[in-house]
Amino acid sequence: MSQPPQNGWDHPQSGDPYGQSSPNGYGPGQPGGDGSPSFAPAFGSSEQFPQQPPVKKGPGKWPFIVGGCCVLLVLLIIVAGAGIYFFTRDSGGTEEQRTTGSSTSEEATTEEEATTEEETATEEESADAAADGKGAKDSPYATGETFTIDDGDGGTLDVTLGEVDWDATSTVMDTNQFNTEPADDETYVLVPLEVTYHGDSEAEAYMSVTVEYVSNSGESFTDQGTVTPHNSIDVDTLTDGDTGKWDMGLIVPKDQIDDGMFSVQALLDFEAEPVWVAP
């Protein structure tokens, strides 16, 4: 009889990995001899837990912090020193700057003194003109006489009032139908003016002088924009030496005409006293 094949229980077949020695200690020929697994080394054994080398600690963050503070302190010292240097240099200035500043101050003072002297001279001239009594209310100019007033803008105006027309209603209304018509007890008065401008600038006739009629009762009457035969708006701009002629129309009560006086002022000179002219 043939023998049955042998299985692995009696003898392991060749090439069977389960019948060979195991690299991990299992099987025959390894510790345990009978193929039983070998036990791991006991706790505490140096073979299972090898000791690690000690870790060396670095210097830490303090050197960097200290170094940064030192750098910042040096920068602050540099900035402070530069500020002190420029401040003292600017406040002190150079000798040339101090001399220039002094010269400028002296020039400004001289100009102010010259301006003050000119203003004083102008005031004295005006006072001298008033001192002769001409133009005051108790000593007025007469129509046809020429007098000079400041224009309020650095120039002067030579003014002459002509012969007054005390009954000019028909003349004025014929000139422009839109003129204000006087009441039955009123009349238009036409006042001829001749004005010559002197100065470095220029003057407009309608912006040069104002004329009011002041009656003995103290009432004042002035031009209300009347269009006259010779109107101020038609006069060309006056430059140095130019003369303009125009009329001014005033509505006055008939019972107050020819008993008062005319008050003349430069339109732009708000502080000057008026010049009085008797008809």
Side-chain angles (χ1 to χ4, degrees):
M1 294 179 64
S2 62
Q3 296 291 331
Q6 294 180 351
N7 55 29
W9 295 102
D10 293 331
H11 300 284
Q13 295 181 359
S14 175
D16 188 354
Y18 296 101
Q20 303 296 326
S21 298
S22 174
N24 57 8
Y26 295 96
Q30 297 297 329
D34 56 356
S36 61
S38 63
F39 294 98
F43 289 103
S45 172
S46 61
E47 295 180 0
Q48 182 179 5
F49 300 104
Q51 294 183 355
Q52 299 295 329
V55 178
K56 295 182 179 180
K57 295 183 178 181
K61 300 179 179 179
W62 285 108
F64 298 99
I65 295 175
V66 173
C69 292
C70 293
V71 172
L72 181 60
L73 181 60
V74 171
L75 291 176
L76 289 175
I77 293 173
I78 294 174
V79 172
I84 294 172
Y85 169 75
F86 286 111
F87 176 77
T88 54
R89 191 178 74 169
D90 291 341
S91 61
T94 63
E95 183 65 26
E96 182 180 356
Q97 291 172 336
R98 289 193 293 270
T99 303
T100 303
S102 177
S103 300
T104 304
S105 177
E106 291 176 358
E107 291 176 359
T109 303
T110 303
E111 291 177 358
E112 291 177 358
E113 291 176 352
T115 303
T116 303
E117 290 176 357
E118 291 178 0
E119 292 176 351
T120 303
T122 303
E123 292 174 356
E124 290 176 352
E125 290 175 0
S126 300
D128 293 339
D132 63 4
K134 276 293 192 178
K137 194 170 184 178
D138 57 354
S139 181
Y141 285 100
T143 54
E145 289 187 301
T146 301
F147 54 90
T148 302
I149 59 175
D150 292 333
D151 72 344
D153 193 30
T156 60
L157 301 169
D158 298 335
V159 183
T160 306
L161 269 64
E163 191 68 29
V164 179
D165 184 352
W166 297 100
D167 188 12
T169 299
S170 59
T171 302
V172 172
M173 295 307 298
D174 289 343
T175 301
N176 191 308
Q177 61 178 335
F178 296 105
N179 284 329
T180 301
E181 187 169 357
D184 292 340
D185 60 344
E186 297 175 332
T187 184
Y188 265 110
V189 173
L190 273 181
V191 184
L193 280 88
E194 181 176 316
V195 177
T196 301
Y197 171 75
H198 298 284
D200 297 330
S201 184
E202 56 187 26
E204 301 291 345
Y206 63 91
M207 292 286 289
S208 58
V209 297
T210 62
V211 177
E212 291 185 354
Y213 177 72
V214 182
S215 67
N216 283 338
S217 64
E219 293 184 73
S220 297
F221 307 92
T222 187
D223 189 355
Q224 300 295 327
T226 305
V227 179
T228 61
H230 303 94
N231 203 37
S232 61
I233 198 71
D234 298 326
V235 178
D236 293 335
T237 299
L238 304 178
T239 57
D240 187 35
D242 290 342
T243 300
K245 298 180 180 181
W246 66 93
D247 301 329
M248 300 188 75
L250 292 69
I251 297 178
V252 180
K254 292 179 180 180
D255 61 353
Q256 297 188 48
I257 62 173
D258 203 18
D259 68 352
M261 288 187 295
F262 293 98
S263 171
V264 183
Q265 283 182 285
L267 182 64
L268 300 179
D269 193 352
F270 304 104
E271 298 181 356
E273 292 294 325
V275 176
W276 295 89
V277 180

